[in-house]
Amino acid sequence: MTRCLLPVVIACLMAIGSPGAPIESAAQDCSRITADNSDDCVRLNQIQLLGTHNSYHIAPPASVLGTLGTAARDIEYTHRPLVEQLTTLGIRKVELDVFADPEGGRFATPAAFRIVKGLDPIGPELRQSGFKVLHTPDTDYRTTCVTLKACLTTIREWSRSHRRHVPIMVMIEAKDAPSKDPNGLGLVQPLPIGVAELRALDAEIRSVFDDDHVITPDRVRGAHDTLANAIRSSGWPTLRAARGKILFALDNTDAHRDAYLRGNPSLEGRVLFVSSAPPEPSAAFIKMNEAIGEEEERIREQVRAGFLIRTRADIPTVEARSGSTVRRDAAFRSGAQYVSTDYPEPSPFGSGYVARLPGAERRAARCNPVNAPSGCRDEWIE
């Protein structure tokens, strides 16, 4: 245990990660960035990382894809297990879709089994209680980690074994859209996700991660009245203060986001950041999917203003089939800190398309091309 003397108790509490304490580093002379001081002079928002879209996803077997018509084109992608993404591909942002299943078993009998014969059996994890990670319950249900707890536990254990990693973002989409069932196949109907379910989502995350392992909105806000003011005044933590930690963001920008903010407009006490643009008090992270044309400059403006941005390098299988790099190149140029792809490895469709950090082959992160301090070098980031 860290021992604290009374005169420095506040600083000591921050050092051992007391709940709600802001994350700070000692002041440094950053007039010249070097390998020795870069961790204290480069901040979380001044780097760029590669992420995967629907990071858990395994494409349905061909026999199921054949029943889906043109919709099948968008889901013909498969990701490696999370550990391999983190270790081999340098992925530092993952995206998980979650469905509420407090009793367990709600998604354990996909309709695909009543339509197609010979499918691989379902494992017992779908009968466990808690949030499930999958894309579409009845047809696109294959995943490398079935439960949210299993996905998060994998990330936690990898993080504990690689304590110098740059912060990993976990982006979560709460899904509850009703399933249309015109043919009466008995498709499962997701449970609505409201205020109570979103509180349960926070609780499930906290059941896996200790407080000092997570960069929460409270920690970034510190003594400021709003997150937006904290970003403008104090900014994000330095790399030294943020290494080895995880931050969470809510993908939803609809009623789910509003429900998550209800009663805590600056995300007081919450785990996830939400997509909010200034002047909203919760403004810190913004999802900006498009980076082409005028959108590239809009992203760049928000990056310069201090916000964390997530954008996309590709739309599911579109660039992977065509080989176009227009969207990918704009995304990286924009300075968005988190660029998501389905193809961190070459496309299986023969186009040669792949999304990797420019000038940082197989690196996990690079100096942000828009707002990194002068003198920053990619090899110092991770």
Side-chain angles (χ1 to χ4, degrees):
M1 177 181 291
T2 303
R3 299 178 66 85
C4 300
L5 300 176
L6 287 177
V8 292
V9 66
I10 295 177
C12 186
L13 284 173
M14 291 186 341
I16 63 176
S18 60
I23 303 174
E24 298 179 1
S25 291
Q28 293 285 329
D29 176 9
C30 295
S31 57
R32 178 174 176 269
I33 308 295
T34 67
D36 291 332
N37 70 6
S38 62
D39 263 17
D40 297 303
C41 297
V42 179
R43 293 182 176 270
L44 186 159
N45 64 308
Q46 294 175 324
I47 62 176
Q48 189 174 64
L49 318 170
L50 187 65
T52 46
H53 163 254
N54 292 346
S55 310
Y56 58 87
H57 191 260
I58 300 175
S63 57
V64 174
L65 288 171
T67 70
L68 300 178
T70 57
R73 289 176 58 88
D74 293 343
I75 56 176
E76 286 187 85
Y77 59 92
T78 293
H79 287 299
R80 294 197 194 200
L82 294 180
V83 166
E84 292 183 26
Q85 292 185 45
L86 293 165
T87 303
T88 305
L89 304 180
I91 297 301
R92 294 294 179 267
K93 176 184 180 290
V94 300
E95 299 180 10
L96 307 174
D97 293 338
V98 300
F99 291 80
D101 189 17
E103 302 300 324
R106 189 171 191 85
F107 307 101
T109 55
F113 283 81
R114 299 191 291 276
I115 303 170
V116 177
K117 303 300 182 183
L119 297 177
D120 292 338
I122 294 290
E125 297 88 353
L126 278 174
R127 299 199 176 278
Q128 298 174 6
S129 62
F131 286 93
K132 300 302 183 299
V133 175
L134 61 153
H135 193 238
T136 305
D138 286 290
T139 54
D140 193 11
Y141 54 84
R142 297 206 300 174
T143 172
T144 59
C145 48
V146 176
T147 68
L148 177 60
K149 284 186 178 179
C151 296
L152 297 184
T153 298
T154 296
I155 295 168
R156 181 195 68 195
E157 294 308 298
W158 187 92
S159 176
R160 285 176 172 174
S161 299
H162 301 78
R163 294 182 181 273
R164 291 284 298 161
H165 68 77
V166 294
I168 296 169
M169 174 180 276
V170 179
M171 194 168 177
I172 296 179
E173 181 178 359
K175 302 184 79 169
D176 61 1
S179 299
K180 296 180 181 179
D181 192 9
N183 298 319
L185 297 175
L187 302 184
V188 64
Q189 296 303 317
L191 291 174
I193 295 180
V195 173
E197 289 74 23
L198 291 168
R199 294 281 179 184
L201 177 61
D202 271 7
E204 198 155 300
I205 295 170
R206 291 187 188 278
S207 75
V208 176
F209 287 96
D210 295 333
D211 288 332
D212 62 355
H213 204 160
V214 180
I215 300 174
T216 62
D218 283 342
R219 289 175 178 270
V220 174
R221 189 176 58 255
H224 297 279
D225 56 342
T226 69
L227 261 177
N229 286 340
I231 296 304
R232 282 190 290 265
S233 301
S234 301
W236 292 89
T238 63
L239 287 185
R240 185 177 303 282
R243 284 196 185 279
K245 292 182 169 56
I246 317 295
L247 68 158
F248 292 86
L250 187 68
D251 182 275
N252 305 75
T253 55
D254 53 11
H256 297 94
R257 189 200 81 118
D258 297 340
Y260 195 77
L261 284 167
R262 195 169 302 158
N264 32 257
S266 196
L267 295 169
E268 299 86 349
R270 303 315 298 260
V271 176
L272 295 95
F273 293 88
V274 300
S275 182
S276 297
E280 294 185 65
S282 55
F285 162 74
I286 310 172
K287 184 177 77 169
M288 302 177 72
N289 280 340
E290 295 301 329
I292 296 177
E294 293 180 356
E295 296 304 313
E296 181 181 339
E297 182 56 32
R298 291 193 178 100
I299 291 175
R300 195 173 285 115
E301 289 172 359
Q302 298 291 13
V303 170
R304 292 192 188 107
F307 296 98
L308 291 182
I309 309 297
R310 178 269 192 185
T311 195
R312 300 181 300 182
D314 38 75
I315 296 174
T317 82
V318 172
E319 285 80 6
R321 296 178 191 275
S322 71
S324 172
T325 62
V326 172
R327 187 185 307 275
R328 180 199 70 185
D329 296 346
F332 287 127
R333 283 195 310 263
S334 73
Q337 291 86 355
Y338 303 101
V339 179
S340 291
T341 182
D342 284 314
Y343 298 95
E345 298 181 280
S347 161
F349 300 113
S351 69
Y353 178 82
V354 65
R356 293 177 181 150
L357 287 176
E361 184 75 10
R362 293 302 185 190
R363 291 190 187 278
R366 69 168 181 161
C367 301
N368 192 291
V370 170
N371 69 346
S374 177
C376 180
R377 293 174 58 175
D378 293 343
E379 58 265 32
W380 297 337
I381 304 301
E382 186 180 331

